[in-house]
Amino acid sequence: MVLLITGASHTGKTVLAQKMLEKYQYPYLSIDHLKMGLIRSGNTGLTAKSNEAALTAYLWPIVREMIKTAIENRQNLIVEGCYIPFDWGKDFAKEYLENIKYYCLVMSEKYIKEHFHDIKRYASIIENRFGDDDCTLESVLAENAHRLEQARKAGVNYILIDNAYEIDMNG
């Protein structure tokens, strides 16, 4: 089984992937690690500050083929990152889709406004975020609203974090 975890920045994708690794012993791939490896090795002219659409267009074909390889080898894998397009399913034949679960994490406006201090406080709980000054209340609200709109428009699974930050992916 391959689990795809995507969502806006600061929604807890990496924390969730780490918890699932610990619970299910499934390895996980952080698309951010892949991104930085390709950038630092000079294999792309993109940078960590490149726009998300350009990074997604570059990274998704690589990640997509890694997912196919894991399924073909009957290996479990968690893939987390914001560079998974909303129309990801079009890239897989039925036999692959049967082995993929997709979840988009989205925080509600209410949750963000009530818990913004916690969102910032837990930003580096798994990975060190350097230069996180661009994470503002306004940017988090806008990015989550956009993700929710896109998830609904695409008809994909999303988990709306509205009251408490508890995610159940058993369903």
Side-chain angles (χ1 to χ4, degrees), residues 68-88:
K68 289 178 182 177
T69 302
I71 292 169
E72 290 162 359
N73 288 306
R74 295 182 181 92
Q75 295 170 315
N76 297 315
L77 179 64
I78 301 164
V79 178
E80 68 87 10
C82 61
Y83 307 107
I84 301 171
F86 286 100
D87 63 349
W88 66 273

Side-chain angles (χ1 to χ4, degrees), residues 72-116:
E72 290 162 359
N73 288 306
R74 295 182 181 92
Q75 295 170 315
N76 297 315
L77 179 64
I78 301 164
V79 178
E80 68 87 10
C82 61
Y83 307 107
I84 301 171
F86 286 100
D87 63 349
W88 66 273
K90 72 173 179 43
D91 293 330
F92 298 95
K94 182 182 177 198
E95 60 269 18
Y96 292 105
L97 290 172
E98 293 169 348
N99 293 285
I100 301 172
K101 289 189 177 187
Y102 170 97
Y103 302 93
C104 180
L105 305 182
V106 182
M107 293 176 175
S108 72
E109 179 179 337
K110 173 184 160 244
Y111 182 86
I112 294 166
K113 287 180 176 178
E114 291 176 1
H115 299 279
F116 185 70

Side-chain angles (χ1 to χ4, degrees), residues 2-30 77-81 84 101-107 122-127 129 157-161 164-171:
V2 174
L3 305 174
L4 304 179
I5 304 171
T6 191
S9 181
H10 293 82
T11 54
K13 298 177 298 292
T14 307
V15 173
L16 180 57
Q18 180 67 37
K19 286 181 179 183
M20 295 187 79
L21 163 80
E22 293 167 4
K23 182 175 181 177
Y24 298 109
Q25 303 300 304
Y26 288 10
Y28 78 85
L29 166 69
S30 166
L77 179 64
I78 301 164
V79 178
E80 68 87 10
I84 301 171
K101 289 189 177 187
Y102 170 97
Y103 302 93
C104 180
L105 305 182
V106 182
M107 293 176 175
Y122 291 114
S124 294
I125 197 164
I126 300 291
E127 299 175 321
R129 290 181 184 261
N157 290 332
Y158 64 89
I159 297 170
L160 185 63
I161 301 159
Y165 195 96
E166 294 178 22
I167 298 174
D168 178 12
M169 293 180 65
N170 293 326

